[in-house]
Structure formats: structure tokens, C-alpha cells
Amino acid sequence: MTHHRGTPDAVPTADASLRAADRRRLVRHVAAILLRMVVMLWLVTTITFVVVRALPGNPIDLYIQDLAASGLSPEEARSRASAVLRFDVQGSFLEQYVQYVTNVTRGDLGNSSILSPGSPVLPMILARLPWTILSVGIALTLSFIIGVRLGLIAAMRRHAWTDHLISNTWAAIDSIPAVLLAVVAILLLGVVWKIVPIEWMRGAYDPATTPGFNWPFIKSALLHYLVPGTVYTLTSLGGWVLAMRSNAMSAISDDYVHVARARGLGEPRIRDAYVGRNAILPLVTGFAIAVGFTVSGSVLIEKVFVTPGVGALLADAIARRDYPLMQGVVLITTFAVLVATAVADALSTWLDPRIRLGGDSA
Amino acid sequence: MTTPPTPLAASARRVRSNATPTALIGTTLFALLVVVSFLGALVVGAPQLDATTISGPPSASHVLGTDYQGRDNLALLVRGGADMVLLALIAGTLTTLVAVTLGSASAYVGGRVDALLMRATDLWLTIPRFILLVVVASTWRVQSTVALAALIAVFSWPVLARQVRANVLSLKEREYIEAARLLDLGPVHMLLRELLPSMAPFIVVSTIQSMTQAIYQQVGLAFLGILPLRDNWGLLFSVAYGQNAIYFADAAWSVLAPIGAICLLQLSLVMMARGYEETFNPRLRSQR
């Protein structure tokens, strides 16, 4: 990475062979990203399958035993299990694995075994996905905007009390498990101080309203989002504050900031246009990746606030030992992360002209 | 003839002379929690079930109230700390061990090994690890603290491994490493005697940070009802919450007590990590 800003584009080399080389590099880059996605999905599919199926006395054997205990003959129990899981439980381990992987490539993640016996897993998850993406997405955006601002302020006032206050507070909050904060919020706001009605902190909207584009529903959804949204925002803020602070601190000592100071530019302008803009670049890709991890981060909070998202679905699946559903959530989540990583990759290339295709992996 | 101080001795001296207030407070708090937890587990007997004081508020005989079975919350708290600290220590140490081994080997050997190890690290980084940890832990039903710590470590090493690699790469360029290489001291000597001592401060801080991560994840796993372990703070919190304790002012103490203890432990670790980071890295220290 020895290019300097602008040089590769500024030199007018309308050389056709060069552009062809660029195009080839782009194709190779995209191919590498797609290959990575396929490898990752295969890896995760394999890990979850091995975990669930490989050892004797594994959950699927237990599931078959449960079916048999409920009055089915062993034969019936096995054929019922095969129908639900969409692979032949009597085949060899390899046969089962190949069948499962083949199903997954067709978008068939098997059927739910216990929570909603026989329903395909994929639609169950997809029905819950918009809620999680919307609710966590809003909070994530808020925490990003606020966190970046706070981090920048802390870096500009390096070692003053403002910096100590901001960075220590958020380092501490960042380490407190989000569940604990959520539970304390319900306890204080709903039970002790009685500021927020308990029903606003259970479920995503008033069951008396009809979901859709009508004001009563939207209003109740917003009120129900008040506390969970705040908890999400608070618990994801710390990471942004600390990352922005450290990025901004290294940007402050860059030459262009000294030059800007020497030119007599005002401090707010230096902060926002020079330090801030450059420090935020790496965080934008971090934000894209964080969006991919929304499901992963929402399991516990969705369970506390009983919201109809993928996280709560996973918590239920774990509580009831619904393995096909658990595997499905892991796969969909991995897929989301992979898409987000690819987007982040593209974003960082697009935002920062210094990062060029073909270098060491960005 | 005086021998120059080894990097390890130098860092040790720096800690003694420059420890920041944050580091001191954090270390004291952590030491206090450790002593109370480990001694307390020996001194305080298992609290008795008492049907007459179920979910009671704080009183003279039960300073932090009682839980849903009438057991004394303070006694539960004192006995539940050791498992928490132990888990954090083992998970933190294992995470660091794996990360340092893979990261430094990757940077030191370089070439294909480096490319392969880093590709694997990146793959592991991209997986939504908490969800996978949840699924694996709920399927394999870990039964011991050590097994759980190991499982958490398996899911935690990649971030740190990348940092270790970057660190070793920059150290490799230093003159004394160059000198050692010219003396042909061999890779084992290089890693153990030259590179690791210089990285000791970084490794200490990272281990503490891994400990906070392990606690974070353990609380999450306990909340999902996955861990049938001993009555540690995570389990106490999760069980009390499961008994709907937060909806009754008197019973809420059995939720608040473990929450407070976990927060205190995390706070002590964060203060230690931040404090030592400043102590070791003079550039982070405020000008006094």
C-alpha cells in the first residue's frame, strides 16, 4: 500500500490494457468474496450438524426417544423424525450429512421439531427478521451517531476531565452484560419508580391493536420500543465511543491537522472536517459489520422484553431444544454477517481511495 | 559490569513506580472480591432453606434479603464468587494462550503458515460466535467450570490473535530482535526470551480484557438457562429473574444482589485493564 491519495486515478492513463487488468482484478476480488461466503456457510453448516448429530446420545437421538415415549413405535418415531428433519435418520452419518447439506443449498433448512412441529424453519425465521433488523437497526444507528460524537469530543479534549469522564464511563458500561442493564431498567422504571407501565416493556405492541400502517399500532409499537431501544442504544454506545476516540487521537497527530492548525482554521472546523472525517472512515465499515451481527446481539434483550424477533425465537428454540430451528437461526445469522462483511468491504474501498483492490485483504 | 535490565524487569519496575490510581483502585477491588469469594466459600456454610422467609426484604439477620427458597442472599453471593472468578481466570488465560501461540507463530514463521493461519482466524472472526457458542453449549451440556471456560476460549481467541500478530510483526523490526537473530539464538529462545517479555504488558492487559468478555458471555449463557453449574452469580441472577423476582419490591433483592456483584467484578477488571494500559504505555498517560 504505497499509493498516495489520488495518484492512481490522477495520472490519465487511458490505457486499455490497464483497464482490462483492473477489471480482471475486480472480478477476482468479487469471486474471492463469493468463495469466502460459500466456505463460511459450509463451515457453519458442518459445525452445527456435527454438534447436533455426531455424538451418541445426541439431541436427535433423544428427540426420537421422546417421540417413541409418546406412544409411537420405534419405526414410526424414526420416520416421523426423518420427515421433520428432512433427512433419513437411519442412514449413515455421511448420508445424513450429505442430505442435510444438499437441503441447505436448496434453501430448505428442515422443519421445526418442537416449537411448531412440522413448519419449515426458514419462513419462521424470515417472518421474525424484519422486527429484529428494524428494532436493533434504529438503536444501532443512534448509538453510532452519539458514540462517534462523544468519542470525537473525548479525543479533542484528550486527558482533560471531559475525556476521562466520557471514556471511563463508557468503558465501564461496555463491560456490563446488556441483560443486566435491561433487567435493572425494568425493575427501576416499571416496578420501583413506576414511570413506565410494565406492559410497555413486555411484547412489541399492544395486542389490542392490529399490526399494519395505522396510527394506534405505530404509536403502541413506539411506546413499547422506548425502553428496549434505549437499552440497546446504551449498551452498544461504548464500543463506538472508545473506537472513535482512539482513531481520532491518531488522526490528530497527522500532518494535515497540523497544517490546518497552522493555516489558522477554527477548532470546530478542524474537529469536524479534518479529524472527524478521517477518524470515522474505519468505523463506517465497522457499522456495516455490526448490522450483520444484530441477531447475534439481540438474543438476550429480546428475551427480556419478550419481543417477536429472531433473537427471542432462538431463546425459545434453546429452551425447548428445537434443534432444526437453532441450526436455522445460526445459518441465517451467519449469512447476514457475510453479506454485511461484503458490504463493509465494498464500502471501505469506495470511501477510502487509498485502499485499492488486489492489495492484502482489507 | 552492569547488565541492562531485561524487558520484563523493566515493565515490572514501571508498574511499581507509575501505577495509576485507576490501576490501584481496580486491583484493590479485584483482590478484595477474590479474597472474599475464595475465603468466603470455605468459611460461610451453605445457606439453609427457610420456608418462613421466602423472598424476604433486607433485615438484620439477612442483610441482602432472602431468595425464593428463603436462603440468605449474602451467603449465596459470597459462595457464588469463586466459580465466577475462576471461570474468568481460566477462560481469560486460555484465550490469551491460544491467541499468543497462534498470533506469534503466524508472525514469526510468516509466509504460507502466516497466510493460512490468518485466513482461518478471519473465518472464525466472521462467524456470529455468541450464537454458535449458545448452540454448542446447549447441545453438549458442559458440566464443569473448566470445560465451559475452554469452550468460551475456543470462541474468543481470534480478535486477540490478530493483535498479537501485529505486535510481533512490529517487534521483529526492532534492533535487539535483529541482534538476537544475528546471534542465531533459535526460534524458541527468540519467542520465549526476547519477544514474549516485551509483550508482557500487552498480554496482561489482554488477559484481563478476555476475562471481562468471558464473564459477559457466561452471564448470557446462564440467562438462556444453558448452564447447570454451581450457584455462581450468573446462575443466581438468572434463577431469581426466572422466579419473576423483579416484579416484587422485596424479592427484587435476590436479582439486584448478583447484578451488583457482577457489575463490581467487571468494573474492577475494566479499571485494572485501563489502568495498566496507561501504566505500561507512557504515551497514554496524562502529563502531570
Side-chain angles (χ1 to χ4, degrees):
Chain A
M1 286 291 124
T2 49
H3 304 300
H4 287 285
R5 185 180 283 261
T7 36
D9 294 327
V11 185
T13 45
D15 188 354
S17 70
L18 198 72
R19 256 184 286 152
D22 266 353
R23 208 163 31 236
R24 263 203 308 281
R25 225 165 16 179
L26 182 70
V27 169
R28 252 213 316 272
H29 190 62
V30 171
I33 288 175
L34 288 178
L35 184 70
R36 186 174 70 189
M37 289 177 79
V38 172
V39 170
M40 294 283 300
L41 285 175
W42 168 75
L43 196 70
V44 171
T45 311
T46 307
I47 292 174
T48 53
F49 188 82
V50 168
V51 163
V52 170
R53 200 69 190 99
L55 295 180
N58 64 59
I60 289 178
D61 289 341
L62 293 180
Y63 171 58
I64 296 170
Q65 279 169 28
D66 281 350
L67 285 176
S70 69
L72 296 178
S73 72
E75 203 48 50
E76 280 172 328
R78 275 194 288 271
S79 72
R80 174 82 69 86
S82 299
V84 166
L85 302 168
R86 314 254 315 129
F87 57 78
D88 183 6
V89 294
Q90 281 173 290
S92 71
F93 177 76
L94 194 67
E95 280 166 10
Q96 295 180 28
Y97 171 71
V98 169
Q99 228 168 345
Y100 180 72
V101 173
T102 318
N103 287 344
V104 169
T105 55
R106 292 203 196 102
D108 177 357
L109 307 184
N111 298 333
S112 163
S113 64
I114 296 165
L115 269 187
S116 166
S119 329
V121 162
L122 188 60
M124 277 176 84
I125 298 171
L126 292 184
R128 298 279 200 113
L129 203 54
W131 181 265
T132 297
I133 291 180
L134 197 67
S135 65
V136 185
I138 293 172
L140 203 59
T141 313
L142 270 178
S143 76
F144 182 77
I145 295 170
I146 303 172
V148 159
R149 199 69 204 166
L150 284 177
L152 187 56
I153 292 172
M156 297 304 286
R157 303 228 196 298
R158 186 178 173 183
H159 299 316
W161 66 269
T162 1
D163 174 29
H164 284 296
L165 186 74
I166 292 175
S167 49
N168 288 329
T169 307
W170 290 107
I173 293 180
D174 200 37
S175 74
I176 292 172
V179 220
L180 303 189
L181 229 55
V183 168
V184 170
I186 296 180
L187 179 66
L188 288 183
L189 299 175
V191 182
V192 179
W193 298 332
K194 297 193 171 41
I195 304 173
V196 181
I198 297 276
E199 29 328 336
W200 288 4
M201 293 182 281
R202 293 189 70 80
Y205 53 87
D206 184 351
T209 61
T210 39
F213 205 72
N214 59 78
W215 177 237
F217 168 73
I218 295 174
K219 187 178 139 202
S220 92
L222 284 176
L223 289 178
H224 281 75
Y225 184 62
L226 204 63
V227 178
T230 311
V231 170
Y232 271 132
T233 310
L234 285 180
T235 50
S236 40
L237 240 162
W240 302 124
V241 174
L242 299 179
M244 183 64 182
R245 177 178 179 269
S246 92
N247 284 355
M249 290 219 303
S250 65
I252 285 173
S253 48
D254 273 346
D255 288 342
Y256 55 81
V257 175
H258 293 309
V259 172
R261 278 229 170 84
R263 279 166 61 203
L265 293 180
E267 206 55 29
R269 189 168 152 69
I270 290 175
R271 182 188 63 208
D272 297 336
Y274 287 78
V275 178
R277 271 188 62 166
N278 287 290
I280 209 170
L281 276 181
L283 293 190
V284 173
T285 58
F287 181 76
I289 294 173
V291 170
F293 275 97
T294 46
V295 173
S296 192
S298 68
V299 188
L300 302 168
I301 296 191
E302 283 189 2
K303 185 173 146 77
V304 175
F305 293 108
V306 211
T307 41
V310 185
L313 187 68
L314 178 66
D316 287 346
I318 288 163
R320 302 285 303 276
R321 315 246 154 253
D322 191 327
Y323 288 95
L325 194 51
M326 279 157 65
Q327 285 173 304
V329 174
V330 173
L331 272 178
I332 295 298
T333 313
T334 309
F335 186 69
V337 173
L338 287 172
V339 172
T341 315
V343 170
D345 216 32
L347 264 181
S348 69
T349 319
W350 178 62
L351 283 176
D352 191 341
R354 284 170 296 186
I355 300 172
R356 283 287 151 196
L357 299 176
D360 49 352
S361 61
Chain B
M1 194 179 111
T2 54
T3 48
T6 66
L8 199 61
S11 353
R13 210 183 44 235
R14 222 177 305 152
V15 173
R16 275 198 299 276
S17 55
N18 287 324
T20 57
T22 323
L24 285 177
I25 299 172
T27 314
T28 315
L29 187 58
F30 180 69
L32 212 66
L33 287 169
V34 169
V35 169
V36 169
S37 300
F38 283 84
L39 281 184
L42 299 174
V43 175
V44 179
Q48 295 301 308
L49 307 182
D50 182 357
T52 60
T53 60
I54 282 179
S55 300
S59 64
S61 50
H62 303 291
V63 183
L64 289 178
T66 49
D67 81 340
Y68 71 107
Q69 294 178 311
R71 296 180 297 177
D72 181 51
N73 279 333
L74 183 61
L76 284 173
L77 218 55
V78 169
R79 291 171 58 83
D83 190 58
M84 209 72 192
V85 173
L86 217 60
L87 175 103
L89 266 176
I90 302 173
T93 313
L94 284 177
T95 304
T96 311
L97 208 66
V98 176
V100 167
T101 311
L102 292 182
S104 53
S106 192
Y108 190 79
V109 178
R112 272 170 184 240
V113 178
D114 183 34
L116 201 72
L117 275 176
M118 282 305 113
R119 191 52 56 87
T121 308
D122 282 346
L123 282 184
W124 207 219
L125 260 177
T126 326
I127 289 177
R129 295 190 303 283
F130 181 66
I131 285 200
L132 202 56
L133 170 67
V134 164
V135 169
V136 172
S138 76
T139 313
W140 277 347
R141 315 240 93 202
V142 269
Q143 295 296 338
S144 74
T145 306
V146 178
L148 176 63
L151 195 59
I152 289 179
V154 166
F155 284 89
S156 317
W157 59 266
V159 184
L160 188 54
R162 272 211 157 274
Q163 291 171 358
V164 171
R165 175 176 172 272
N167 240 310
V168 173
L169 281 181
S170 89
L171 281 176
K172 261 173 93 176
E173 306 300 315
R174 303 277 174 84
E175 280 151 14
Y176 70 93
I177 298 291
E178 196 62 37
R181 212 197 329 253
L182 289 176
L183 287 171
D184 202 14
L185 291 172
V188 176
H189 177 99
M190 290 289 284
L191 278 177
L192 294 184
R193 302 295 299 277
E194 307 293 339
L195 288 171
L196 278 185
S198 322
M199 289 204 305
F202 166 76
I203 291 173
V204 169
V205 172
S206 309
T207 307
I208 299 173
Q209 281 166 346
S210 307
M211 286 171 69
T212 63
Q213 289 299 313
I215 292 169
Y216 199 111
Q217 291 177 334
Q218 200 262 318
V219 171
L221 289 174
F223 187 69
L224 290 172
I226 287 166
L227 302 166
L229 292 184
R230 296 195 287 128
D231 275 352
N232 72 23
W233 296 340
L235 201 70
L236 288 176
F237 158 72
S238 151
V239 169
Y241 177 81
Q243 296 287 331
N244 284 327
I246 57 165
Y247 299 110
F248 308 97
D250 286 350
W253 286 90
S254 42
V255 181
L256 277 181
I259 289 182
I262 295 167
C263 291
L264 219 55
L265 178 58
Q266 292 289 67
L267 191 68
S268 75
L269 290 170
V270 168
M271 287 179 88
M272 274 165 79
R274 291 182 69 79
Y276 288 139
E277 214 171 4
E278 260 182 50
T279 309
F280 290 130
N281 188 348
R283 274 184 308 169
L284 290 176
R285 221 177 300 146
S286 29
Q287 276 75 43
R288 275 176 292 189

